[in-house]
Amino acid sequence: MKNNIQDTIVAISSGNVNQAISIIRLSGEDSIEIVKKVFSGKVGKDKTITYGNIIDNITGKIVDEVLVNWFIGNKNYTGENTVEINAHGGIVVTNKILNLLIANGARLANRGEFTRRAFLNGKISLDKAEAINSLIHAKTNKQAEIAISQFNSKDNLIIENLINELLTIISLIEINIDYSDYNDIKEMDANTLTSQLSKFNRKLDSIINKSENACDIYKGINVAIVGRPNTGKSSLLNSLIGSQKAIVTNIPGTTRDVVEGEFQINGFLFNLIDTAGIRQTKDLVESIGIERSKNAIKEAKIVIHMHEPFIKENEEDQIIKELSKGKVYIPVMNKQDLLNKDQYPKNMVLISSKKNSLWELKNALVKNYLNIDLDDPQIIFNNRKLSLLKQAKISINTALESLSQGLGPEVVILDINEAWGSLSEILNKKHDNEALLDNIFSKFCLGK
């Protein structure tokens, strides 16, 4: 049966684990009636708590002794009748109550469905819904702080200004096409349009670049640990995450697939990928692992290139350097304890992964993120918004390319309209002609 917004939904909102108190939440028009069928206590008024037992209404047996929170009406999170049952937190008891509520008319909620209803009922914006999800999944203090900062949709003002700027450009093009004989309107020829779109594009570039760097902090920074076989890649991953996750031996080619782990430095989350050593091999399985290593470099923001003492760089090292172009590249000399100070190589980070001497590497990892102002109003952390902003930029680039090939404003206006549509979608606004018409005719003199 297809799920319906009118269904009364239920779920364990505190997590399906053993704990002191568990919470079973219902939301929907029939929430109160369903609970009344299995609850021996009184139905409370809005925002009150009552005490009683949950009773199996088929066997008559008591399931648990509970407190029930009543949220009657629409002045609550989901904007509809909501009931929360606070039970003793054993998995067995909690699931018995859940199944009892389903048997009496509730439907098991889908992932995120309570927040979806809050959005559909106008209690929260889509931005806040996405921020709530990010806050729930935050793994560091910085990620939590960023998620909370998204509750007020402060980046909407930037998008609103971009939309208005593009709307003005579109309006002037339309007026020059349809009202070319009206002398008081600013002319919008190809050169003027190119100048204005180029300026607009630079603004998009600035916002996107700032946002991408900041989003690394928000999502976690991908780091690929690469190098020839037996340079200490797996030992480094184990040392950084504080766990023996990767197998370490003296046999080259031990790591045949990527191994992943996470660790934090000063609130920054790093997603580590230990890769198979890059070398020429006839071993089919190892070859697949090496290809995955190359893909890991492409996906990474930071590349740690491992070296060991007294071994000169070879063709494989050059391949790694080539693949690392455009990344934050950190060349690392492992096993520094085997070197005298006068043997330390220049322009390399020195570590000893087995002796856990990693402070210099940790400094290098965070260096590029320390000066990012996470409160900068021009930073957009939301992936959906940033993707749409990039779509707008693609459309503007297409328009500029067409202008450079000699096409006129009357042609490239289609691409500019696409960019306007992408920006409007960020704010969940309809891309219609009403705003455009308002803007066009506001340029006319009174009485025209």
Side-chain angles (χ1 to χ4, degrees):
M1 186 175 69
K2 189 176 180 181
N3 295 336
N4 193 306
I5 188 66
Q6 303 301 326
D7 294 343
T8 293
I9 56 175
V10 64
I12 300 168
S13 62
S14 56
N16 198 15
V17 295
N18 283 318
Q19 54 198 315
I21 300 293
S22 61
I23 301 173
I24 303 96
R25 176 183 292 160
L26 297 94
S27 183
E29 185 178 347
D30 297 329
S31 297
I32 297 163
E33 293 303 316
I34 290 171
V35 173
K36 280 168 65 176
K37 294 177 184 179
V38 298
F39 180 56
S40 67
K42 292 181 179 179
V43 174
K45 295 179 180 179
D46 183 35
K47 297 180 180 63
T48 62
I49 301 173
T50 60
Y51 161 82
N53 293 321
I54 295 293
I55 299 173
D56 187 323
N57 56 347
I58 295 176
T59 66
K61 292 182 178 180
I62 294 175
V63 177
D64 196 11
E65 187 178 37
V66 301
L67 293 173
V68 178
N69 289 21
W70 305 92
F71 301 94
I72 300 171
N74 59 11
K75 294 181 179 179
N76 54 57
Y77 181 71
T78 61
E80 56 191 17
N81 287 339
T82 301
V83 181
E84 292 184 350
I85 300 171
N86 295 264
H88 293 100
I91 290 176
V92 174
V93 170
T94 304
N95 279 280
K96 273 189 175 182
I97 297 172
L98 175 68
N99 291 328
L100 195 57
L101 294 167
I102 292 171
N104 280 276
R107 169 174 64 77
L108 185 64
N110 296 316
R111 293 171 69 93
E113 192 167 2
F114 289 95
T115 302
R116 183 190 181 100
R117 290 197 174 189
F119 167 66
L120 293 174
N121 289 327
K123 305 304 289 186
I124 59 173
S125 66
L126 185 58
D127 290 349
K128 189 166 184 179
E130 291 171 312
I132 288 168
N133 186 54
S134 297
L135 180 60
I136 290 168
H137 292 96
K139 295 180 180 178
T140 70
N141 287 333
K142 283 192 184 296
Q143 288 179 328
E145 288 169 9
I146 292 169
I148 291 170
S149 74
Q150 300 307 295
F151 280 18
N152 60 10
S153 304
K154 64 179 182 180
D155 51 15
N156 282 358
L157 182 60
I158 308 165
I159 304 302
E160 194 76 60
N161 290 337
L162 291 173
I163 289 172
N164 290 335
E165 187 172 342
L166 212 52
L167 190 59
T168 298
I169 293 172
I170 295 169
S171 300
L172 286 172
I173 296 172
E174 292 280 11
I175 292 171
N176 274 265
I177 294 171
D178 295 335
Y179 303 96
S180 56
D181 57 340
Y182 192 66
N183 297 324
D184 292 342
I185 293 296
K186 181 180 177 182
E187 185 180 355
M188 182 62 81
D189 58 18
N191 289 334
T192 304
L193 182 57
T194 298
S195 174
Q196 291 195 12
L197 289 183
S198 297
K199 183 180 177 182
F200 186 82
N201 219 18
R202 287 193 291 273
K203 289 182 182 179
L204 292 182
D205 279 334
S206 174
I207 295 168
I208 290 170
N209 290 337
K210 286 181 181 181
S211 299
E212 284 186 329
N213 288 333
C215 279
D216 291 341
I217 300 171
Y218 194 30
K219 296 180 294 184
I221 303 154
N222 292 334
V223 181
I225 305 173
V226 298
R228 283 182 285 167
N230 224 26
T231 50
K233 299 183 296 297
S234 297
S235 294
L236 175 59
L237 179 134
N238 290 340
S239 295
L240 288 171
I241 67 174
S243 173
Q244 297 300 308
K245 187 169 185 179
I247 298 172
V248 178
T249 75
N250 292 323
I251 302 170
T254 298
T255 302
R256 296 189 167 210
D257 200 355
V258 295
V259 180
E260 299 182 7
E262 296 178 343
F263 84 108
Q264 295 182 40
I265 310 174
N266 299 332
F268 296 104
L269 180 68
F270 292 90
N271 305 315
L272 299 174
I273 306 170
D274 172 29
T275 64
I278 294 178
R279 65 172 179 172
Q280 296 293 329
T281 181
K282 294 181 180 179
D283 186 298
L284 178 60
V285 176
E286 190 179 357
S287 296
I288 294 171
I290 290 169
E291 282 305 309
R292 290 182 178 177
S293 298
K294 293 177 180 178
N295 288 331
I297 295 174
K298 291 177 184 177
E299 297 296 323
K301 287 288 184 175
I302 300 176
V303 177
I304 297 175
H305 185 179
M306 298 288 284
H307 300 74
E308 57 180 341
F310 315 118
I311 305 295
K312 291 184 177 180
E313 289 193 348
N314 63 8
E315 184 181 347
E316 283 77 17
D317 291 306
Q318 294 304 315
I319 291 171
I320 291 170
K321 285 184 175 181
E322 187 65 28
L323 291 171
S324 300
K325 286 182 177 178
K327 313 287 182 182
V328 176
Y329 175 74
I330 305 176
V332 171
M333 177 61 72
N334 193 18
K335 307 174 187 177
Q336 73 172 100
D337 46 301
L338 300 180
L339 297 170
N340 297 321
K341 285 189 176 181
D342 59 354
Q343 294 176 307
Y344 286 174
K346 295 180 179 179
N347 303 319
M348 275 197 181
V349 173
L350 301 174
I351 67 166
S352 176
S353 53
K354 282 191 175 180
K355 293 192 174 184
N356 209 29
S357 176
L358 305 173
W359 65 269
E360 191 177 340
L361 175 59
K362 290 179 178 180
N363 286 340
L365 286 170
V366 300
K367 184 176 75 171
N368 291 287
Y369 297 94
L370 290 175
N371 295 324
I372 294 177
D373 180 9
L374 297 178
D375 294 321
D376 187 336
Q378 284 204 324
I379 289 177
I380 295 172
F381 293 102
N382 184 287
N383 277 335
R384 177 184 63 85
K385 291 182 177 182
L386 191 54
S387 295
L388 288 166
L389 197 67
K390 289 177 180 177
Q391 285 182 28
K393 178 173 169 52
I394 290 170
S395 299
I396 296 298
N397 283 341
T398 303
L400 285 168
E401 178 64 24
S402 298
L403 287 166
S404 71
Q405 293 175 358
L407 297 177
E410 70 281 359
V411 177
V412 302
I413 192 172
L414 297 173
D415 297 310
I416 303 171
N417 261 308
E418 280 187 9
W420 178 39
S422 297
L423 293 175
S424 297
E425 192 176 339
I426 292 175
L427 301 185
N428 303 304
K429 288 186 174 183
K430 288 184 179 180
H431 176 214
D432 57 29
N433 289 325
E434 194 64 35
L436 179 59
L437 291 173
D438 287 346
N439 198 284
I440 287 174
F441 291 110
S442 69
K443 311 291 183 191
F444 283 68
C445 298
L446 189 65
K448 277 286 184 180

Short mmCIF file of all heavy atoms in Angstrom, two decimals, residues 8-9 24-32 35 45-48 68-85 114 117 121:
data_model
loop_
_atom_site.label_atom_id
_atom_site.label_comp_id
_atom_site.label_asym_id
_atom_site.label_seq_id
_atom_site.Cartn_x
_atom_site.Cartn_y
_atom_site.Cartn_z
N THR A 8 -1.18 7.88 10.26
CA THR A 8 -0.53 8.15 11.55
C THR A 8 0.71 7.27 11.60
O THR A 8 0.64 6.06 11.43
CB THR A 8 -1.48 7.82 12.72
OG1 THR A 8 -2.56 8.75 12.68
CG2 THR A 8 -0.76 7.94 14.05
N ILE A 9 1.85 7.90 11.79
CA ILE A 9 3.12 7.18 11.73
C ILE A 9 3.72 7.00 13.12
O ILE A 9 3.42 7.75 14.04
CB ILE A 9 4.13 7.91 10.81
CG1 ILE A 9 4.35 9.36 11.26
CG2 ILE A 9 3.67 7.85 9.36
CD1 ILE A 9 5.42 10.09 10.48
N ILE A 24 9.04 6.29 22.04
CA ILE A 24 8.29 5.86 20.86
C ILE A 24 7.39 7.02 20.47
O ILE A 24 6.55 7.46 21.26
CB ILE A 24 7.45 4.60 21.12
CG1 ILE A 24 8.34 3.46 21.63
CG2 ILE A 24 6.73 4.16 19.85
CD1 ILE A 24 8.39 3.30 23.11
N ARG A 25 7.56 7.52 19.26
CA ARG A 25 6.85 8.73 18.82
C ARG A 25 5.79 8.40 17.78
O ARG A 25 6.06 7.64 16.83
CB ARG A 25 7.83 9.74 18.25
CG ARG A 25 7.19 10.99 17.67
CD ARG A 25 8.22 11.92 17.06
NE ARG A 25 9.08 12.51 18.07
CZ ARG A 25 10.28 13.04 17.83
NH1 ARG A 25 10.76 13.03 16.59
NH2 ARG A 25 10.99 13.55 18.80
N LEU A 26 4.60 8.95 17.94
CA LEU A 26 3.54 8.87 16.94
C LEU A 26 3.22 10.27 16.46
O LEU A 26 3.26 11.23 17.23
CB LEU A 26 2.25 8.26 17.51
CG LEU A 26 2.27 6.84 18.02
CD1 LEU A 26 2.52 6.83 19.52
CD2 LEU A 26 0.93 6.14 17.70
N SER A 27 2.83 10.38 15.19
CA SER A 27 2.40 11.67 14.65
C SER A 27 1.32 11.43 13.61
O SER A 27 1.44 10.55 12.77
CB SER A 27 3.59 12.41 14.02
OG SER A 27 3.20 13.69 13.56
N GLY A 28 0.26 12.21 13.71
CA GLY A 28 -0.84 12.07 12.77
C GLY A 28 -2.17 12.29 13.46
O GLY A 28 -2.27 12.32 14.69
N GLU A 29 -3.20 12.44 12.67
CA GLU A 29 -4.52 12.77 13.20
C GLU A 29 -5.02 11.76 14.22
O GLU A 29 -5.68 12.11 15.21
CB GLU A 29 -5.51 12.87 12.03
CG GLU A 29 -6.90 13.34 12.44
CD GLU A 29 -7.83 13.46 11.25
OE1 GLU A 29 -7.33 13.42 10.10
OE2 GLU A 29 -9.05 13.60 11.46
N ASP A 30 -4.71 10.47 14.02
CA ASP A 30 -5.24 9.43 14.90
C ASP A 30 -4.30 9.03 16.03
O ASP A 30 -4.54 8.02 16.70
CB ASP A 30 -5.58 8.18 14.07
CG ASP A 30 -6.67 8.44 13.04
OD1 ASP A 30 -7.54 9.30 13.31
OD2 ASP A 30 -6.64 7.81 11.96
N SER A 31 -3.24 9.81 16.25
CA SER A 31 -2.26 9.45 17.27
C SER A 31 -2.90 9.22 18.64
O SER A 31 -2.63 8.23 19.32
CB SER A 31 -1.19 10.54 17.40
OG SER A 31 -0.47 10.69 16.22
N ILE A 32 -3.75 10.14 19.05
CA ILE A 32 -4.33 10.08 20.39
C ILE A 32 -5.26 8.87 20.51
O ILE A 32 -5.21 8.13 21.51
CB ILE A 32 -5.09 11.39 20.71
CG1 ILE A 32 -4.09 12.56 20.70
CG2 ILE A 32 -5.80 11.30 22.06
CD1 ILE A 32 -4.73 13.92 20.59
N VAL A 35 -3.23 5.61 20.81
CA VAL A 35 -2.61 5.45 22.12
C VAL A 35 -3.65 5.10 23.18
O VAL A 35 -3.42 4.27 24.07
CB VAL A 35 -1.81 6.71 22.52
CG1 VAL A 35 -1.31 6.62 23.96
CG2 VAL A 35 -0.63 6.91 21.57
N LYS A 45 -3.72 17.12 28.46
CA LYS A 45 -3.91 18.28 27.61
C LYS A 45 -2.62 18.54 26.82
O LYS A 45 -1.62 17.88 27.03
CB LYS A 45 -4.27 19.50 28.47
CG LYS A 45 -5.60 19.36 29.19
CD LYS A 45 -5.89 20.59 30.04
CE LYS A 45 -7.23 20.44 30.77
NZ LYS A 45 -7.52 21.63 31.61
N ASP A 46 -2.68 19.52 25.92
CA ASP A 46 -1.51 19.83 25.10
C ASP A 46 -0.31 20.18 25.98
O ASP A 46 -0.42 20.94 26.94
CB ASP A 46 -1.84 21.01 24.17
CG ASP A 46 -0.68 21.34 23.24
OD1 ASP A 46 0.03 20.41 22.81
OD2 ASP A 46 -0.50 22.54 22.95
N LYS A 47 0.80 19.58 25.66
CA LYS A 47 2.09 19.80 26.33
C LYS A 47 2.04 19.44 27.82
O LYS A 47 2.54 20.15 28.68
CB LYS A 47 2.57 21.24 26.14
CG LYS A 47 2.84 21.59 24.67
CD LYS A 47 3.30 23.02 24.51
CE LYS A 47 3.57 23.35 23.06
NZ LYS A 47 2.37 23.26 22.22
N THR A 48 1.42 18.31 28.11
CA THR A 48 1.42 17.76 29.47
C THR A 48 1.90 16.32 29.43
O THR A 48 1.98 15.70 28.36
CB THR A 48 0.01 17.81 30.11
OG1 THR A 48 -0.88 17.00 29.33
CG2 THR A 48 -0.52 19.24 30.17
N VAL A 68 3.67 9.48 29.30
CA VAL A 68 3.27 9.85 27.94
C VAL A 68 3.23 11.37 27.80
O VAL A 68 2.57 12.06 28.59
CB VAL A 68 1.90 9.25 27.58
CG1 VAL A 68 1.48 9.69 26.18
CG2 VAL A 68 1.95 7.73 27.65
N ASN A 69 3.95 11.90 26.80
CA ASN A 69 3.93 13.33 26.47
C ASN A 69 2.87 13.57 25.40
O ASN A 69 2.91 12.92 24.34
CB ASN A 69 5.29 13.79 25.92
CG ASN A 69 6.36 13.82 26.98
OD1 ASN A 69 6.23 13.17 28.00
ND2 ASN A 69 7.42 14.56 26.72
N TRP A 70 1.98 14.52 25.66
CA TRP A 70 0.90 14.82 24.71
C TRP A 70 1.16 16.17 24.03
O TRP A 70 1.38 17.17 24.69
CB TRP A 70 -0.44 14.86 25.45
CG TRP A 70 -0.74 13.62 26.22
CD1 TRP A 70 -0.44 13.37 27.53
CD2 TRP A 70 -1.39 12.44 25.73
NE1 TRP A 70 -0.87 12.11 27.90
CE2 TRP A 70 -1.46 11.52 26.79
CE3 TRP A 70 -1.93 12.07 24.49
CZ2 TRP A 70 -2.03 10.26 26.68
CZ3 TRP A 70 -2.50 10.82 24.36
CH2 TRP A 70 -2.55 9.93 25.43
N PHE A 71 1.17 16.15 22.70
CA PHE A 71 1.31 17.39 21.92
C PHE A 71 0.10 17.45 20.98
O PHE A 71 0.13 16.90 19.87
CB PHE A 71 2.62 17.39 21.13
CG PHE A 71 3.85 17.26 21.99
CD1 PHE A 71 4.41 16.01 22.21
CD2 PHE A 71 4.42 18.36 22.59
CE1 PHE A 71 5.53 15.87 23.01
CE2 PHE A 71 5.54 18.24 23.39
CZ PHE A 71 6.10 16.99 23.61
N ILE A 72 -0.95 18.09 21.45
CA ILE A 72 -2.24 18.06 20.74
C ILE A 72 -2.39 19.34 19.91
O ILE A 72 -2.16 20.45 20.40
CB ILE A 72 -3.39 17.92 21.75
CG1 ILE A 72 -3.22 16.61 22.55
CG2 ILE A 72 -4.74 17.94 21.04
CD1 ILE A 72 -4.17 16.47 23.71
N GLY A 73 -2.77 19.15 18.66
CA GLY A 73 -2.93 20.29 17.76
C GLY A 73 -1.72 20.41 16.84
O GLY A 73 -1.03 19.45 16.55
N ASN A 74 -1.47 21.64 16.41
CA ASN A 74 -0.40 21.84 15.42
C ASN A 74 0.77 22.68 15.93
O ASN A 74 1.67 23.01 15.18
CB ASN A 74 -0.96 22.47 14.14
CG ASN A 74 -1.61 23.81 14.40
OD1 ASN A 74 -1.48 24.39 15.48
ND2 ASN A 74 -2.32 24.31 13.40
N LYS A 75 0.76 23.01 17.23
CA LYS A 75 1.85 23.83 17.77
C LYS A 75 2.94 22.93 18.34
O LYS A 75 3.22 22.91 19.53
CB LYS A 75 1.32 24.79 18.83
CG LYS A 75 0.37 25.84 18.26
CD LYS A 75 -0.14 26.79 19.31
CE LYS A 75 -1.07 27.84 18.71
NZ LYS A 75 -1.59 28.78 19.72
N ASN A 76 3.54 22.15 17.45
CA ASN A 76 4.61 21.23 17.83
C ASN A 76 5.52 20.98 16.64
O ASN A 76 5.36 21.62 15.59
CB ASN A 76 4.02 19.92 18.37
CG ASN A 76 3.06 19.27 17.38
OD1 ASN A 76 3.41 18.99 16.25
ND2 ASN A 76 1.81 19.07 17.82
N TYR A 77 6.45 20.07 16.77
CA TYR A 77 7.49 19.88 15.74
C TYR A 77 6.90 19.52 14.38
O TYR A 77 7.24 20.12 13.36
CB TYR A 77 8.47 18.79 16.20
CG TYR A 77 9.59 18.53 15.22
CD1 TYR A 77 10.61 19.46 15.03
CD2 TYR A 77 9.63 17.35 14.48
CE1 TYR A 77 11.64 19.23 14.13
CE2 TYR A 77 10.66 17.11 13.58
CZ TYR A 77 11.66 18.05 13.40
OH TYR A 77 12.66 17.81 12.51
N THR A 78 5.99 18.52 14.34
CA THR A 78 5.48 18.07 13.05
C THR A 78 4.30 18.87 12.55
O THR A 78 3.92 18.77 11.38
CB THR A 78 5.05 16.58 13.12
OG1 THR A 78 4.01 16.45 14.09
CG2 THR A 78 6.23 15.69 13.48
N GLY A 79 3.68 19.66 13.43
CA GLY A 79 2.51 20.44 13.02
C GLY A 79 1.23 19.64 13.00
O GLY A 79 0.27 20.02 12.33
N GLU A 80 1.20 18.50 13.71
CA GLU A 80 -0.01 17.68 13.80
C GLU A 80 0.03 16.93 15.14
O GLU A 80 1.06 16.92 15.83
CB GLU A 80 -0.09 16.69 12.64
CG GLU A 80 1.12 15.78 12.52
CD GLU A 80 1.15 14.99 11.21
OE1 GLU A 80 0.44 15.35 10.26
OE2 GLU A 80 1.90 14.00 11.17
N ASN A 81 -1.10 16.30 15.53
CA ASN A 81 -1.15 15.57 16.79
C ASN A 81 0.07 14.65 16.93
O ASN A 81 0.35 13.85 16.04
CB ASN A 81 -2.42 14.72 16.89
CG ASN A 81 -3.66 15.55 17.12
OD1 ASN A 81 -3.58 16.68 17.60
ND2 ASN A 81 -4.83 15.00 16.80
N THR A 82 0.76 14.79 18.04
CA THR A 82 1.95 13.98 18.28
C THR A 82 1.92 13.46 19.72
O THR A 82 1.55 14.19 20.64
CB THR A 82 3.24 14.81 18.07
OG1 THR A 82 3.25 15.30 16.72
CG2 THR A 82 4.48 13.97 18.31
N VAL A 83 2.28 12.19 19.88
CA VAL A 83 2.36 11.58 21.21
C VAL A 83 3.71 10.89 21.34
O VAL A 83 4.14 10.20 20.42
CB VAL A 83 1.22 10.56 21.43
CG1 VAL A 83 1.31 9.96 22.83
CG2 VAL A 83 -0.14 11.19 21.20
N GLU A 84 4.37 11.11 22.48
CA GLU A 84 5.65 10.45 22.75
C GLU A 84 5.53 9.61 24.01
O GLU A 84 5.20 10.12 25.09
CB GLU A 84 6.77 11.48 22.89
CG GLU A 84 7.08 12.19 21.59
CD GLU A 84 8.26 13.15 21.70
OE1 GLU A 84 8.70 13.39 22.84
OE2 GLU A 84 8.71 13.65 20.66
N ILE A 85 5.79 8.32 23.87
CA ILE A 85 5.72 7.38 24.99
C ILE A 85 7.12 7.15 25.51
O ILE A 85 8.00 6.68 24.77
CB ILE A 85 5.09 6.05 24.55
CG1 ILE A 85 3.67 6.29 24.03
CG2 ILE A 85 5.09 5.03 25.70
CD1 ILE A 85 3.04 5.07 23.38
N PHE A 114 9.12 12.16 10.02
CA PHE A 114 8.62 13.16 10.97
C PHE A 114 9.06 14.56 10.55
O PHE A 114 8.28 15.52 10.57
CB PHE A 114 9.12 12.84 12.39
CG PHE A 114 8.48 11.63 13.00
CD1 PHE A 114 9.09 10.39 12.91
CD2 PHE A 114 7.27 11.72 13.65
CE1 PHE A 114 8.51 9.25 13.47
CE2 PHE A 114 6.66 10.59 14.22
CZ PHE A 114 7.29 9.35 14.12
N ARG A 117 7.22 15.75 7.50
CA ARG A 117 5.89 16.30 7.82
C ARG A 117 6.01 17.71 8.40
O ARG A 117 5.17 18.57 8.13
CB ARG A 117 5.17 15.37 8.80
CG ARG A 117 4.76 14.06 8.13
CD ARG A 117 3.72 13.31 8.90
NE ARG A 117 3.28 12.16 8.13
CZ ARG A 117 2.25 11.39 8.45
NH1 ARG A 117 1.55 11.66 9.55
NH2 ARG A 117 1.92 10.36 7.70
N ASN A 121 4.09 20.66 6.62
CA ASN A 121 3.11 21.40 7.40
C ASN A 121 3.55 22.83 7.72
O ASN A 121 2.91 23.53 8.51
CB ASN A 121 2.80 20.65 8.71
CG ASN A 121 2.01 19.38 8.47
OD1 ASN A 121 1.19 19.31 7.55
ND2 ASN A 121 2.24 18.35 9.28
#
